[in-house]
Amino acid sequence: MGDEVLQGLDDSRSALIYAPNTIGKTRLAQHLKERDPEGVVLYNSFVEDVFTWDNERVVLKMNPASDLLETIVTQGLDTAIIDSFQAFTNGRIEPRLDFESGEISFGVHKGDDSSTDGIKISRAEESIFVWSVYYSVLSEAIETLSDSPELRSTADYDQLRLAVIDDPVSSMDDVRIVSVALALAELIKRASGLGLKFIITTHHALFFNVLFNSLHRKKSRAYVLQHDPAEGWLLRKQSHDSPFSYHLGIIHDIQRAISVNAVERAHFNQFRALLEKTANFLGYTGGWGSLLRGPDAALLTKVLNLYSHDRFGDIDTSEVAAEHKEAFTNEFHEFLKTYRWAAAA
């Protein structure tokens, strides 16, 4: 798959891939990084692992041996990171970076008695901060590469050829997903003509849609990873003539898998994505779990959570227990009937 995507970049500046969880997106990103360590700047779940939350001290710790930390210090990117984080979160919370200790604290600083330090940020805000670090480094790289070689402030980015970005919007709400997608689209446009290409993979339909509609169609490729019972997972080029109706594609894939008794873990994550978007559309404040109404709702909710939060699910077996398959099939059919999906006919 990696070679196919790279070949598509020969005549385009970016490749956008929509794919469910647990089918190898993290592996693809790591493979691309390992084949060209100096030429690829990578964002995926392993980059997020550079940061760990210390509940006792209420700080976010950064691995002092990380290449990211070295780049931040060398290039003086602390202000850019703070500005990016506040732009994505509307400016209320301010991070403070201590490079000596490798710790980041958060507070609301108003310059009066109402200021607060030592704030425990949300999981979404933590994801935004980590993305802000990568975004600032990538933005600085593009700015530097825009200068002629003899005028560049550093040669650290001279070998950079590819930015690989895997699902940067985990835990974010729709407003922030849109903001991150639009900012990333602008970065890709800024890099036009520099020889820097982009590969972005995601299981978030909204993130895919915003990027798909923001990028120049003639200079960017888009794919949807779909499952074929005979050939397995295949990259399908996204049509430029129609919007990405991801929900209909999910329903079709799941129905086909059920019909040939080929339900895999990836289909569970597809169903969860469908439930999440349906809950948002219907305004369900209790979350997607309340959409499951059948007798196996409790069991399936546990299984969907287990598969979705398994960090290494894409390198584990795709086999599913018979009991879980049965619960999945029952609840999926009940969901289609309850919410009157046309695909249920």
Side-chain angles (χ1 to χ4, degrees), residues 54-73:
D54 185 333
N55 284 313
E56 185 175 335
R57 302 190 60 247
V58 199
V59 295
L60 189 63
K61 291 186 174 181
M62 189 173 184
N63 185 344
S66 165
D67 291 339
L68 271 178
L69 181 57
E70 182 181 350
T71 301
I72 293 167
V73 174

Side-chain angles (χ1 to χ4, degrees), residues 180-248:
V180 168
L182 290 174
L184 178 56
E186 287 303 312
L187 271 189
I188 294 172
K189 293 173 184 177
R190 280 174 52 198
S192 179
L194 299 180
L196 177 62
K197 305 296 184 76
F198 291 76
I199 295 176
I200 306 107
T201 65
T202 184
H203 74 282
H204 290 272
L206 177 61
F207 185 64
F208 181 99
N209 271 336
V210 174
L211 279 173
F212 178 77
N213 289 306
S214 299
L215 296 173
H216 195 291
R217 305 291 171 78
K218 293 182 179 180
K219 297 181 180 178
S220 301
R221 289 179 177 264
Y223 306 90
V224 177
L225 194 63
Q226 295 180 332
H227 189 268
D228 183 276
E231 301 182 64
W233 291 98
L234 301 172
L235 279 175
R236 305 291 189 190
K237 192 172 180 181
Q238 173 60 27
S239 170
H240 291 173
D241 299 323
S242 61
F244 177 45
S245 300
Y246 77 97
H247 50 284
L248 299 180

